[in-house]
Amino acid sequence: MTVVPEVIAPTDASADECKSNVATYVVGPIGSGGLLKRSIQKYVDWDPQGGGTAAPLAESPDAVGEIPIFSKVFTAGNGLIYETTNDGKLNVYKDQTDSGGPLLKLVKTHTAPWKRFKQIWSNGPLIHVANNEGGIDRYSQSDPVNGTGAITKINMAIPPGAETISEIASADDVWSVGNSIYTLKNGTVRQWRSYSGGLMAVKVVATGLTGALQGWSPGPGTFYTMSNDEESEGVVKSYTESPFAQVNGEVRTGISGRAMADVASCLAPADPSAKPFSSIPEDPDVPAVPAEGAEPLPLTSPSVFSGKFTLGNGAPASGLPVLLEAIDVVPENGSAITLPTLGKTVTAADGTWSIPLPSALPADVEQAAAENGGVVNAVATVAGQTSSGIQMAGVSHLSAAPVAAAPEVQARVADAEVVPAALQPASSISGSDEPTSLADSTANPRDAQYAQSWGSKLDATLADRNGDSPLPKWQSATGDVPTEDPYIINGVNTASMPIEAKDGGCDRTKSEVIDKKIYYTTVGEAHAFWDAKASFDYDNKVSSTVETAAKVGSKWTVTGSVTLGSSIGSSTGYTNKGSYYAKQWKIPLLYTKIKETWRCGGGGPMTRYVIKPGKYTVPAGGATGKYGKDVRHLDGTKFLKSPKKNRAYVTAGSYFQISKNKSVKWSGAVSAFGVSLGGSTSYDKDHRQRITAGNLKHMKHYIWGAKDGVSGKPGVFYSY
């Protein structure tokens, strides 16, 4: 970034007017407030003078309002928010949330003295309007503190033709601080001085702000930019003088909408010991964090594979032969093998089935399990046809562990999520867009196509807004989420059609790797608000469960998960990050795309494709682990909406960690070959989320579990 020295002359203000926190309002994208509405969310900048380097830009609890879709909103200091409407009104609102009132308290309605405009902004006493005739009009507010005064056009207009007009009218954003006006256009911020004669002088204060589309100032000496429009998420960056230079490249991520500040005339340093929103009363009923208990024993037998197959409409798929095969034996060099059979059975009346893990495993399966921490990963296959002859196939990936496995391994497998697997139409054209072999995938990389998928775009977002929300039922590896129903065949819905078994069930599967690639996969996160520090440890071995996906028709769907337990022989993660820090952590795993050919009932061959996670593999010259998505939005005043039973506090100067049970499931843990997959991690002595509270004793440091109390099965815990 190139900077030009610039000094902003402060407006007259006494020392007691200087603010160490300033409200920032974000007008959400269309529909964020409901049908034909947009939301206005209040944030508070707790370190405006330092550009958010010492304290956060944090959401204010329950400070949300709504405006119509087509209104234009701007701020004017002193908690005033103006709304100019499509029907020619100018509404003046006062933010009364600090005294327990509403965010948008209507204090005055005017008939707007303008009709059309290109830009509109205010410094409090003055409202500037870049009109459609090519000039800039100015209007005075006679009561800039309460907003109840008259709005009067004054004789200080900048006429059409002035050199400033086109620059301001076409700017990406415009805002005011005192008698200075700032414009952001094409990554350059200019300062314009307002004089009594209506002229403006130009100075460049910063250039090279790539991607910045919004700007605002909380007061003199600081400005922020955001790299988003109203339809996408953004990154907030801050700049302070003199000269202006970037001081924080990640003040906040994941904000969607149009941001504007309740600009102050003078800024004061932040108090690093002050807890944001400290006016929130402490809860005397929140207990101190408990000591860690013993690792619980598995509730179900980890040495039995079990699942359920259904029709497309969720009804049980009964009476279908199930073939269970080991899947970790497929060589990575592209050689084709026949998968070893682990057992056979038939689905019960309710679609369920179970097969015990054989006490004696084939040698290659035994070796693969030893390299995977003792866990055996398998695939269960069922197939049949409708009365009209439509081929239907079902696939489920799952894991088991022998009774001799270590208790933590048994617990990890027993705790893995098993979901019903629906049979789907098997297409004869499935795979026409896939590599024919491992050599073909190397010669014809498809990364550019995968990057266009819904899963890849989700993976590329900087803040985790998906959380543990369910993934789409169907995915395309090269485009948006499919809208067509794969159960509609020749205009007929096959989802509820009864499925008859083929004689003899399915033969053993022939499998070969046709593509492989390393993808960084989320395995944990840690949180530290206020004066705390966050740590996440992922040591010595892989200890995660990651979803698989399969395609027997034209679309991909999640088909279960496999448990990963291979040794990594090293440590990865992060330690003592903070304050006001929360990031996910990702490790490199090798994913393979496998082509499987199988036959059922003596009929012709059918093909399915499988995406399967595998070993921890650091790419040449690559990172042993990477920071993932920003999850700070889950901390802070979200505490007020958490279940009380999930809350606890950490004593000043002490720490708390979870090292048992398993984490939450991250729905978008990875995008592999363009398909989004979920994953979770098992906590133990080598895999921990930890928080260390600061030494400020005047307030409690609260934490709360995402799914349960912190001594139960919280998944992860958050911080306030």
Side-chain angles (χ1 to χ4, degrees), residues 132-180:
N132 275 12
E133 287 70 43
I136 296 180
D137 298 319
R138 300 179 184 185
Y139 300 82
S140 67
Q141 161 64 270
S142 63
D143 183 6
V145 175
N146 300 304
T148 57
I151 305 294
T152 306
K153 188 173 183 179
I154 59 177
N155 189 25
M156 290 177 59
I158 302 173
E163 64 175 327
T164 60
I165 300 300
S166 62
E167 185 73 27
I168 292 178
S170 63
D172 296 320
D173 211 350
V174 185
W175 66 95
S176 283
V177 180
N179 63 352
S180 291

Side-chain angles (χ1 to χ4, degrees), residues 1-4 187 205-210 223 239-240 243-247:
M1 183 186 82
T2 303
V3 294
V4 177
V205 298
T207 62
L209 312 186
T210 303
F223 73 84
Y239 305 80
T240 60
F244 275 105
Q246 181 178 303
V247 292

Side-chain angles (χ1 to χ4, degrees), residues 358-377:
S359 56
L361 296 171
D364 53 351
V365 178
E366 188 80 47
Q367 178 63 31
E371 295 174 357
N372 192 41
V375 177
V376 177
N377 292 312

Side-chain angles (χ1 to χ4, degrees), residues 421-551:
L423 279 77
Q424 54 186 288
S427 172
S428 59
I429 62 171
S430 175
S432 59
D433 56 343
E434 300 293 351
T436 58
S437 66
L438 188 58
D440 178 39
S441 70
T442 304
N444 299 289
R446 291 163 169 79
D447 289 351
Q449 293 174 299
Y450 295 145
Q452 301 305 310
S453 73
W454 177 87
S456 294
K457 292 175 181 177
L458 175 67
D459 195 51
T461 56
L462 298 173
D464 183 18
R465 295 291 183 179
N466 197 49
D468 58 358
S469 300
L471 290 170
K473 174 67 175 176
W474 309 101
Q475 294 187 55
S476 166
T478 57
D480 291 333
V481 174
T483 57
E484 68 272 19
D485 188 342
Y487 284 100
I488 305 297
I489 305 296
N490 297 324
V492 177
N493 191 339
T494 63
S496 59
M497 288 185 174
I499 299 174
E500 301 172 350
K502 289 192 171 185
D503 293 340
C506 296
D507 295 332
R508 294 166 67 190
T509 306
K510 178 181 177 182
S511 299
E512 61 180 305
V513 171
I514 57 171
D515 206 351
K516 59 181 179 180
K517 188 177 176 67
I518 296 168
Y519 292 97
Y520 284 82
T521 305
T522 300
V523 293
E525 65 185 59
H527 295 255
F529 196 79
W530 189 31
D531 66 335
K533 303 291 184 183
S535 300
F536 176 73
D537 301 321
Y538 200 89
D539 299 348
N540 298 324
K541 62 182 182 297
V542 175
S543 183
S544 293
T545 298
V546 183
E547 288 179 332
T548 58
K551 179 173 69 171

Side-chain angles (χ1 to χ4, degrees), residues 32-35 37-40 64-68 83 93 103-104:
S32 59
L35 185 64
K37 296 283 187 178
R38 287 185 293 169
S39 65
I40 298 183
V64 181
E66 290 182 351
I67 61 167
E83 176 200 14
Y93 300 94
L103 177 66
L104 297 175

